[in-house]
Amino acid sequence: MASLLKKVSNFLRILNYKPSEDSNIQVYESDEVVDYYVQQIPELQPPEAAILDFLKPELGSFRMLDIGIGAGRTTHFFAPRVRHYEGVDYSDSMVSACKKMFAANPYTFAQADVRDLSRYADGEFDLVMFSFNGLDSISPEDRELALTAIRRVTKTGKYFVFSSHNLQALSDHVRYQFWPIHRQILQKNYRSFVLRKLNPPIREMQRQNFARVVDGSHAYQIKNYWVRPAFQVQTLQKYGFIAQNVFDLQGKPVSPQNYDLVTDTWLYYLCVRND
Ligand SMILES: C[S@@+](CC[C@H](N)C(=O)[O-])C[C@H]1O[C@@H](n2cnc3c(N)ncnc32)[C@H](O)[C@@H]1O
């Protein structure tokens, strides 16, 4: 009985919660979320592995800036392969977790917000990465600040890698399924109901090029930016980046003709600073 009451009160709390980008940092500072990342088994997502493979011939000469490192999942794979590795996160707790985990390694970790990379010189890095949708935590206006800052610290002709939620995947996330009836389907329907309740009408969001979505991550506490791939690629050009390759979640390149068709929940963008 007590556990049922707890579930109901949790449900009501979620429905009344109003996440904003400004509160995302508190979520990433919380012990619960830091522990979640610390306990993850370090492995690369297939598109990250494909990008690592693509960059491998040059990686040994690179100075790399890894932004939004969390508990250092990508550090395990990229840091040992580059000439110099710096990891930053705006969450002090995540930075502390990385310093502890990699205490024996010659890597640098610091607290920094992607919107202000003034601690770094122009063109200081050959590879700037913001993995696993961290860039989506900030508002569209601040995303512009972030892209400007990232471009400045990236060497001309070198790389910026990031991932972003795909707006074309949103309808799958909120779709109700009525058959067959089993536990997982009921859970998915519960999630669809909550997401529909917490967001503006889904159809309205899908008509846009991007939308800010409470997508269920970290117990519905995070509001993320979801974008159409074609619009993302076009916007990158405005900030001096060419998307050399877009990767789906299997690590396969998505051809430009398929940008409007791909429905993976997020995609990886391998970009080159082109000026
Ligand atoms: C979804 S987690 C991914 C963590 C890690 N990259 C991984 O793949 O396991 C996003 C990370 O980005 C960080 N982040 C979000 N917005 C940021 C910002 N404006 N500047 C720096 N870090 C940020 C968060 O604190 C969080 O650690």
Side-chain angles (χ1 to χ4, degrees), residues 79-268:
R81 294 180 163 92
V82 295
R83 178 163 62 89
H84 176 80
Y85 177 90
E86 306 233 356
V88 297
D89 202 292
Y90 71 171
S91 158
D92 227 359
S93 317
M94 294 290 193
V95 174
S96 303
C98 285
K99 283 184 176 164
K100 202 165 146 198
M101 189 172 304
F102 298 101
N105 300 91
Y107 315 143
T108 306
F109 297 102
Q111 196 238 344
D113 191 308
V114 67
R115 291 163 277 201
D116 177 12
L117 298 177
S118 53
R119 60 193 296 132
Y120 300 114
D122 293 1
E124 189 170 335
F125 297 100
D126 307 278
L127 172 60
V128 178
M129 187 160 82
F130 203 155
S131 213
F132 203 8
N133 312 325
L135 187 62
D136 293 346
S137 314
I138 55 176
S139 69
E141 300 74 33
D142 286 3
R143 195 174 176 97
E144 296 185 14
L145 290 180
L147 289 172
T148 305
I150 290 168
R151 175 177 165 274
R152 188 185 64 74
V153 301
T154 308
K155 205 175 277 173
T156 301
K158 296 299 184 190
Y159 303 98
F160 168 42
V161 169
F162 72 105
S163 68
S164 197
H165 288 93
N166 176 8
L167 190 59
Q168 287 153 202
L170 192 58
S171 54
D172 283 348
H173 275 258
V174 296
R175 183 167 295 132
Y176 290 120
Q177 192 176 327
F178 297 104
W179 193 259
I181 296 175
H182 59 73
R183 196 184 158 85
Q184 271 166 332
I185 299 293
L186 291 174
Q187 280 169 345
K188 187 188 177 311
N189 287 342
Y190 165 81
R191 191 182 146 88
S192 299
F193 173 77
V194 175
L195 292 178
R196 283 174 186 270
K197 190 88 186 123
L198 293 178
N199 287 291
I202 302 297
R203 277 209 188 136
E204 221 169 81
M205 291 203 276
Q206 281 178 314
R207 277 199 286 269
Q208 318 292 324
N209 283 320
F210 63 84
R212 286 179 278 178
V213 183
V214 181
D215 55 19
S217 40
H218 298 305
Y220 302 93
Q221 295 179 91
I222 298 269
K223 194 167 202 176
N224 273 319
Y225 178 95
W226 288 53
V227 62
R228 290 189 181 283
F231 180 76
Q232 181 59 87
V233 167
Q234 190 191 327
T235 309
L236 283 163
Q237 283 174 18
K238 210 169 103 193
Y239 291 92
F241 288 111
I242 295 287
Q244 180 157 331
N245 260 317
V246 178
F247 292 92
D248 68 16
L249 288 179
Q250 278 77 53
K252 298 204 182 81
V254 180
S255 67
Q257 303 91 280
N258 288 332
Y259 286 167
D260 290 337
L261 302 177
V262 64
T263 55
D264 291 24
T265 306
W266 62 89
L267 298 167
Y268 272 78

